[in-house]
Every structure is written in C-alpha cells, then in structure tokens.
Amino acid sequence: MRGMYTAGVLDSFLDHDVQVDGILGVSAGACFGCNLFSGQRGRALRYNQRFMGDPRNVSLRSLITTGDIINREFAYHTIPTKYDVFDEAAFEKHGGEYWVVVTNVETGEAEYMQMHHLLADIEMMRASASMPFCSRMVEIGGKKYLDGGVADSIPVRRALTMGFDRVIVVLTQPASYRKGPMNPALIRAFYRKYPHLCRTLMERHERYNAQAEEVRRLEEEGRVFVIRPKAPLNIRRLEKNPEELARVHGIGLRDAEESMTALKVYLEA
C-alpha cells in the first residue's frame, strides 16, 4: 500500500494534464499506473479504501484456500468489471505503451511484458504484483512468474534503453532508504526448487541499493526526473485503514504538486 503514494502522484498528473508515451510499472505500480492511461482520477484510492478491509479481497482465508493473500478472482476480475469498472476503452484509446515488470521464477531474471488489453492481459499485472511468500506463482505462456520487484525494483535502465528520452521515476521510499537482506533460511524454505530465484531474492537488497544509487546519479545529471517521499511513509504493506490510505495518497499528491513546475520544465526541455 505504499503504492497509494504512486496513485497520488498519478492523480496529480491527471490534474495537470501531464502526458506520457509509456509506463513501465512494477508490483503495485503496475496495478495503479493503468488509471493514468484510462483517465480515472481517484480510482486506485477509491477501490482500495472500499475493499482492502473486505475479506473477499485480502484475507488469511484466501491465502490458506487459494495460496494468494490477495484473492485473484475478486481483486483482478470482480472489482474492475463490477464494483469499480476500469475504462478499458479509454485505456486503449490513449495509445501509450503499458509495460509491467515480472520475475521469471526459473531464471531469477526480470522480464518485461506489454499489456495491450488490460482485462485480457490481467495475469501479467497479477504476476508483477504477486508478492513472494504470500502469493502463488503466476503461469503465463508455460512460464512461472512472481513480483517484478524481486529482480528489477526500479527499472530506470530498462526505460532508457527502450528509447524514452524523458523518464519520470516515481519511488515510494525516501532518498536515504537502503534495503536490507532477506532471511536466507526463509527463502530456501519456500523456493529451494528454484535456485536462481533464491539467488535473486538473496541479492535483492544489493540490486535495489545499486539501482537507488544509479537513480540518484541520473537525477543529478538531469537525465531523469524523480518524485519520491521526503520521509518514510510508515504504512503497512497490506494496510486496511481507509484514513491511512488517504494519508499516503495525499502525500503523493502534494509532492507531485510541489514538483509540477520543475517537471514541466524537464519534459519540455
């Protein structure tokens, strides 16, 4: 739910008509970024406030009975088609490239999947946001995937190699944040059959910290524009309190508003 910060940033983009040609989303960012292309301001905050506390959506029961703490059917099919309908026509009309990052379980490496039709390609999004230890692996095209943040948490290098000459990086941790290592015993207990994934999980903090440093350098060089919180958001990964969700969304909205003048100068350069 740190992704509520990202949702706030993107809602500010809609308020100020900030247009982008492509989005490369990771994990929660993959789930919430689509609302920028569909033009649905406030949607990510609205449905999470309504359904994060709903056991049909997120629950220990779902984890025990399905293997997913976030229920696949309710979260990825019922909500966007019945309760808070996603505007797929607007998404497709936008015409921008929508990419999500996933981690290949067999290789331990990141892969990048383009979603052309959001609801038809929803398993790509689900794979990108399938957190290790509390989600099933998502099978696509005969391959198994988990959360894209495992292998490529901040895909700025990928965005630059794709040819985007103006890159906006939205982070949900302050500049001072550095990730610590995971418990190796826990990793092996869950994924011993997948040695490459185990290696990637054990090295994840090193990759993340190197990427954070690269982002800082690229920002200083003026090659990327970064929006990040000034202090830790202090929100639980699966926070259910609607007020807490609104608080973090508001921080993202505020930070983007404060950055807007500089952002437009960067985009127009």
Side-chain angles (χ1 to χ4, degrees):
M1 285 297 104
R2 285 200 318 274
M4 284 294 96
Y5 179 88
T6 302
V9 170
L10 299 183
D11 281 346
S12 177
F13 286 6
L14 288 172
D15 291 342
H16 292 272
D17 195 30
V18 174
Q19 299 290 331
V20 298
D21 298 316
I23 291 176
L24 188 56
V26 187
S27 198
C31 294
F32 301 153
C34 58
N35 298 296
L36 182 64
F37 279 2
S38 67
Q40 291 176 280
R41 190 193 189 285
R43 179 175 177 269
L45 174 62
R46 183 174 62 240
Y47 75 72
N48 278 290
Q49 283 185 308
R50 181 179 177 187
F51 292 113
M52 274 303 292
D54 190 322
R56 294 175 297 173
N57 185 38
V58 181
S59 67
L60 183 60
R61 178 181 178 182
S62 178
L63 178 62
I64 294 170
T65 59
T66 71
D68 294 312
I69 197 165
I70 298 176
N71 187 271
R72 172 183 180 270
E73 188 61 32
F74 192 82
Y76 291 96
H77 295 278
T78 303
I79 290 176
T81 62
K82 180 179 179 181
Y83 289 121
D84 203 317
V85 176
F86 180 74
D87 191 342
E88 186 150 32
F91 175 87
E92 294 179 9
K93 183 179 179 181
H94 184 281
E97 297 180 22
Y98 198 79
W99 295 82
V100 297
V101 185
V102 296
T103 298
N104 184 310
V105 170
E106 297 285 354
T107 66
E109 297 298 322
E111 293 184 15
Y112 308 88
M113 298 183 174
Q114 186 174 6
M115 298 180 69
H116 297 281
H117 308 285
L118 190 122
L119 296 177
D121 297 333
I122 200 71
E123 289 295 274
M124 297 178 186
M125 179 183 289
R126 189 169 76 89
S128 185
S130 289
M131 298 179 291
F133 313 117
C134 58
S135 304
R136 289 176 295 175
M137 299 171 187
V138 178
E139 188 168 323
I140 301 173
K143 298 179 181 180
K144 297 176 181 178
Y145 297 97
L146 279 174
D147 194 318
V150 172
D152 194 356
S153 296
I154 313 174
V156 63
R157 181 58 53 185
R158 177 70 179 188
L160 290 170
T161 60
M162 289 170 71
F164 295 111
D165 58 354
R166 295 290 184 273
V167 176
I168 307 167
V169 183
V170 182
L171 303 177
T172 61
Q173 296 282 11
S176 60
Y177 175 78
R178 292 298 180 268
K179 190 178 291 293
M182 291 183 178
N183 184 325
L186 179 66
I187 293 171
R188 294 191 188 97
F190 272 81
Y191 301 117
R192 61 184 179 277
K193 294 181 180 179
Y194 304 95
H196 296 297
L197 178 65
C198 286
R199 183 196 68 242
T200 300
L201 283 165
M202 291 179 188
E203 297 174 353
R204 184 187 179 194
H205 64 293
E206 297 174 356
R207 293 192 187 200
Y208 177 93
N209 295 338
Q211 288 179 317
E213 182 59 29
E214 181 179 31
V215 167
R216 184 196 61 77
R217 178 178 57 79
L218 291 170
E219 182 182 22
E220 290 180 350
E221 295 173 356
R223 295 180 62 190
V224 303
F225 192 95
V226 184
I227 300 176
R228 57 163 75 85
K230 299 176 181 65
L233 296 172
N234 294 324
I235 187 170
R236 293 182 298 173
R237 187 178 295 271
L238 294 175
E239 178 63 62
K240 298 179 180 181
N241 185 336
E243 294 180 358
E244 279 295 287
L245 302 182
R247 177 183 66 82
V248 171
H249 177 273
I251 295 172
L253 193 66
R254 181 201 66 203
D255 286 354
E257 292 285 334
E258 292 177 355
S259 302
M260 194 55 61
T261 299
L263 173 60
K264 290 193 173 182
V265 170
Y266 167 78
L267 293 175
E268 292 168 3

